[in-house]
Amino acid sequence: MYIAAAMSPDPFCLHPEMTLMQVRDLTAGKIIRHFPVTDAAGRLVGMVSDRDLRSALPSTALNPTVRVEQLERLGQVRVESIMSRPPIALPREATLDDALLLFDRHRIGALAVLDHDGLLVGILTVRDVLAAYRRLFGIGSPGSSQVEVCDDGRPHLLSRIVAALEGAGIVCTRLIRTEAGTGGAGLVYARLQTINLHGAHEALRAAGLAVVARKAGGAAP
Amino acid sequence: MAMQPLILMSDERCLEHATWGGHPETRERVAAVCARVRACPLGASLVEGRPSPAGWDALLPVHDEEYLLRFEEAALSGREWFDHRDNQLGEQSYQAALTAAGAGPAAIDLVEAGRAPLAFCAVRPPGHHAERARALGFCFLNNVVVAARHWRRAHARRRLLVLDFDAHHGNGIQHAFEADPDVLYVSLHEHPTFSFPGTGYAEETGTGPGEGATLNVPLLPGARDDAALAALEGQVDPAVRAFRPEAILVAAGFDGHLLDDMSGLAWSTGLYRRIGRAVAAWAGGLTGGRAVSILEGGYHIGALCDGVEQYLLGLVEGTAPHLAPPVTPGETTEFERSEGH
């Protein structure tokens, strides 16, 4: 799945020469957590988070006279002096997995999405990625259940699982295979489009596969 | 010993909904449940009723007209399943589903006429997975939602509790009422990460004006009576008492039983008696005794019959405290002992 389908297009942008006072006025009443900063040609030059902005604003705990003086100084402070650079960005052809790795490596909450010419086309947040994976896995959509099958070490495990299920007319929408770890066997988590757990278990067992018994607590953590 | 009267709503047309090839939702389920209820100690005090098939005036607030026509056409044209292979059907399935959907309203009318405050509808096909325009999980028409709409429209009972203790989350009931602040939907079910239909996470608490009027209690695979009882006491009871319903509908499913291989829950038969008593206590304290239960799942016929009997005994003795012997968590019945549990 590509990030272009998950990003928010045409994000609210700042310009490097804007003052923080202007930004404060422009964003009053808006709930925006990440602002790409673009130059006059629309090229990405930096990123500002709402946390960067809050840190630059004077504390409300300050003496009122001191606070007013500091607020007035915001009229001279420009976006370019607080923005993060180089900004973290991905091309629109990048995948959700690319984005996930980047978020994890840089500990960031959003990244910019660029077209072939390096122009900003969107912004992708951690929330966007979570929502995209939720859609991809169908989490929360009615109609599916899960069975867990033990890795018996014999060849063609995934093929045998799918063949057994399809032979019983059961649609399998995803398989996730985990390797055997310390003290535990490898497992395959199969997402099925059926309520008929009895039928799914029967089909898998008839194919010689070992199904994890949920009544006994299943593959408990 | 004289028992409290109980309305049993059933109809042989429900048995004519055809399934085959080892399908778990069989006609034998409901035939066996009816036989057991008549033969058990409750049999002598039953008020039996036969429903009229639900009319379109009752169905259209719940399902789209196009969906109803599609369902009828699928059944009458000899299709083997509808919307999904799980939902097998035969020529009589549409009539059976209309009859099942008519059972709740008929039971409610008898309750409101003063024949008895408690009713149980032994019907199939089940209903709680059926969405407005989609059959799902053996369900075609949402029997509980049809009953809820009827209770409000025909008898002006505005605030309803819908308790669902089937092992699977009742997505169709939740979606019908999730934005409605006057219907408290409470469901105990196996956790949706593992179990069909994959909905009913604890964070689903209602939407818009209905925020807070949905209570989902997902239980992990292997959960036994103690987990269900802790949820009933710690979460469900306070929510019901705070909500103060005027009437209670129960989506009564028995597939959470240890012997039922359609879920990962490991409940004993004794738990269903405890649930019956809890419902009776809410009914006695809050709704003038009114509680109508409608059968949902339950696929191990022995465990289903035992569960229904114990649930109904709990209901009846709960409204007549002098009849109630103590029940301890994990209590086993003759059936469970004979099965080696």
Side-chain angles (χ1 to χ4, degrees):
Chain A
M1 190 173 176
Y2 298 104
I3 61 173
M7 70 182 188
S8 301
D10 304 321
F12 188 95
C13 293
L14 305 178
H15 301 295
E17 67 279 6
M18 280 179 173
T19 68
L20 298 196
M21 193 63 93
Q22 287 174 312
V23 173
R24 200 180 74 142
D25 293 344
L26 276 172
T27 59
K30 294 187 172 73
I31 301 173
I32 304 174
R33 300 212 183 282
H34 304 94
F35 301 89
V37 184
T38 53
D39 65 14
R43 270 186 295 273
L44 184 74
V45 295
M47 190 77 90
V48 172
S49 71
D50 61 342
R51 191 172 169 185
D52 297 330
L53 285 172
R54 280 201 308 273
S55 300
L57 290 171
S59 166
T60 52
L62 285 173
N63 172 303
T65 312
V66 177
R67 188 160 187 272
V68 169
E69 286 171 13
Q70 292 198 3
L71 276 173
E72 284 170 358
R73 289 223 314 269
L74 292 182
Q76 276 78 53
V77 180
R78 297 187 183 281
V79 165
E80 61 190 349
S81 69
I82 67 161
M83 68 187 187
S84 303
R85 58 186 154 185
I88 309 294
L90 280 172
R92 59 182 304 149
E93 295 80 12
T95 66
L96 285 179
D97 293 351
D98 293 325
L100 191 69
L101 292 169
L102 219 52
F103 282 130
D104 189 39
R105 187 187 318 145
H106 293 283
R107 305 277 193 272
I108 51 175
L111 54 80
V113 184
L114 308 178
D115 69 8
H116 291 292
D117 301 320
L119 298 179
L120 181 79
V121 292
I123 188 167
L124 184 78
T125 68
V126 169
R127 279 186 59 84
D128 293 331
V129 171
L130 287 176
Y133 275 114
R134 178 182 168 161
R135 286 196 300 277
L136 193 62
F137 287 136
I139 296 168
S141 303
S144 68
S145 55
Q146 179 174 290
V147 296
E148 293 99 51
V149 181
C150 298
D151 187 346
D152 54 14
R154 290 163 50 209
H156 312 303
L157 175 63
L158 300 188
S159 306
R160 285 186 284 128
I161 292 171
V162 172
L165 294 168
E166 288 183 344
I170 295 170
V171 174
C172 177
T173 56
R174 70 172 190 262
L175 294 171
I176 297 175
R177 183 175 191 168
T178 60
E179 299 296 327
T182 42
L187 286 174
V188 176
Y189 298 87
R191 200 76 199 168
L192 312 179
Q193 295 284 33
T194 186
I195 186 177
N196 194 351
L197 196 62
H198 168 83
H201 283 190
E202 274 204 337
L204 292 165
R205 287 184 182 125
L209 293 153
V211 182
V212 174
R214 290 233 290 269
K215 295 282 188 194
Chain B
M1 186 184 296
M3 305 287 279
Q4 297 279 94
L6 170 79
I7 296 163
L8 173 65
M9 193 61 63
S10 65
D11 195 302
E12 291 193 344
R13 283 170 290 186
C14 290
L15 307 184
E16 293 170 13
H17 165 49
T19 59
W20 61 91
H23 194 284
E25 205 286 282
T26 60
R27 69 195 304 277
E28 286 76 18
R29 297 173 58 241
V30 166
V33 164
C34 289
R36 171 65 72 88
V37 175
R38 291 180 182 121
C40 80
L42 296 160
S45 50
L46 289 179
V47 177
E48 294 227 28
R50 193 163 179 258
S52 301
W56 278 44
D57 57 329
L59 294 173
L60 283 175
V62 181
H63 294 286
D64 290 349
E65 183 176 358
E66 182 272 340
Y67 171 77
L68 296 171
L69 291 169
R70 219 161 41 81
F71 175 30
E72 183 178 22
E73 165 70 14
L76 296 180
S77 64
R79 290 269 310 275
E80 293 192 344
W81 48 271
F82 180 56
D83 277 359
H84 188 285
R85 284 183 181 277
D86 281 347
N87 312 317
Q88 291 183 352
L89 79 174
E91 246 181 68
Q92 301 303 317
S93 295
Y94 181 69
Q95 275 304 316
L98 292 183
T99 305
I108 288 163
D109 290 344
L110 288 179
V111 166
E112 291 288 351
R115 297 292 304 277
L118 301 169
F120 179 67
C121 304
V123 292
R124 65 184 282 272
H128 73 154
H129 295 308
E131 298 276 1
R132 189 166 184 85
R134 182 185 177 195
L136 194 69
F138 312 156
C139 302
F140 302 90
L141 302 178
N142 204 311
N143 306 327
V144 168
V145 177
V146 170
R149 301 270 189 230
H150 176 81
W151 216 331
R152 288 173 132 183
R153 192 178 60 242
H155 302 285
R157 304 287 181 196
R158 192 170 61 91
R159 290 174 71 76
L160 302 180
L161 163 66
V162 179
L163 173 72
D164 186 338
F165 62 82
D166 188 278
H168 305 100
H169 177 244
N171 56 289
I173 302 175
Q174 176 172 309
H175 291 154
F177 294 121
E178 63 191 351
D180 188 335
D182 290 325
V183 176
L184 175 63
Y185 176 64
V186 177
S187 179
L188 275 74
H189 49 264
E190 190 182 8
H191 195 288
T193 287
F194 305 90
S195 179
F196 189 89
T199 56
Y201 288 88
E203 64 92 22
E204 297 168 27
T205 54
T207 60
E211 178 64 48
T214 297
L215 173 59
N216 282 306
V217 185
L219 301 170
L220 290 175
R224 304 180 75 88
D225 294 7
D226 54 353
L229 289 169
L232 272 176
E233 188 178 338
Q235 293 175 261
V236 181
D237 185 66
V240 171
R241 292 185 188 284
F243 180 76
R244 303 195 64 77
E246 295 166 49
I248 299 173
L249 274 165
V250 181
F254 297 85
D255 41 9
H257 194 279
L258 182 64
L259 297 178
D260 194 312
D261 63 3
M262 288 285 284
S263 87
L265 298 180
W267 292 350
S268 79
T269 302
L271 177 67
Y272 294 107
R273 193 160 187 159
R274 299 287 293 251
I275 295 173
R277 285 203 194 158
V279 173
W282 298 325
L286 300 167
T287 72
R290 290 178 293 274
V292 171
S293 303
I294 301 177
L295 181 65
E296 296 287 353
Y299 305 96
H300 182 289
I301 290 180
L304 169 64
C305 292
D306 280 353
V308 169
E309 179 180 341
Q310 292 300 311
Y311 170 66
L312 296 179
L313 281 169
L315 264 182
V316 167
E317 66 197 16
T319 53
H322 63 285
L323 294 177
V327 177
T328 53
E331 180 183 74
T332 54
T333 64
E334 285 303 322
F335 177 80
E336 288 172 314
R337 282 191 285 276
S338 70
E339 293 277 327
H341 293 278

